[in-house]
Amino acid sequence: MASTTTPTRTTTGTRTATLIGTGLAATTLASATTTAIAATGTATGISLDIDGAPIPLLGFTQLTAFFSLIGLAIAATLARKARHPRRTFIRTTTALTALSLVPDAIAPATLDTKALLMLTHLAAAAIVIPAIARRLAA
């Protein structure tokens, strides 16, 4: 009696598509979240002015999307090249998140504004990093 088995392995293309889909969903959620945080901050009286020039709300959406997509590109590269992609991605993006706080800390703005800007960075990272990391091999 002959038996036939069907391979059950996941192809690299499927993994990449899943990574990209998850990354795009996380990017969308993070962009909406940072914009909502900034809008809430301004509604409570926190200025979005840096050196007298206001940051537009759409700027939060655009920059969050841009840098989240860079994170996704890093993840895709690490998925192909790193020995431990998840660990490397988490370490890399955590360091980049910490570095992203430096301009906010030294910006010519009020403490409330600086804190609000930093909160948006941390919120985006809290959404994007774990979502993408879950899709990477340990």
Side-chain angles (χ1 to χ4, degrees):
M1 172 190 272
S3 126
T4 310
T5 60
T6 304
T8 58
R9 66 182 177 91
T10 305
T11 64
T12 302
T14 303
R15 272 189 243 146
T16 301
T18 301
L19 175 66
I20 291 170
T22 299
L24 292 175
T27 295
T28 302
L29 179 59
S31 296
T33 300
T34 58
T35 304
I37 290 169
T40 302
T42 58
T44 61
I46 299 173
S47 170
L48 291 179
D49 289 0
I50 302 275
D51 205 20
I55 301 170
L57 285 178
L58 188 56
F60 288 89
T61 309
Q62 293 169 335
L63 288 174
T64 301
F66 179 76
F67 286 106
S68 295
L69 292 174
I70 289 175
L72 181 56
I74 291 169
T77 301
L78 292 173
R80 288 190 311 275
K81 304 218 181 241
R83 177 176 248 171
H84 301 285
R86 182 181 303 158
R87 183 175 62 197
T88 306
F89 176 76
I90 291 170
R91 287 180 179 176
T92 301
T93 53
T94 299
L96 290 172
T97 301
L99 285 173
S100 78
L101 300 175
V102 173
D104 297 337
I106 63 173
T110 65
L111 287 178
D112 288 349
T113 300
K114 291 178 183 189
L116 181 62
L117 294 174
M118 289 179 179
L119 177 61
T120 62
H121 289 241
L122 297 174
I127 293 167
V128 174
I129 294 171
I132 291 175
R134 281 192 296 273
R135 297 296 181 194
L136 294 170

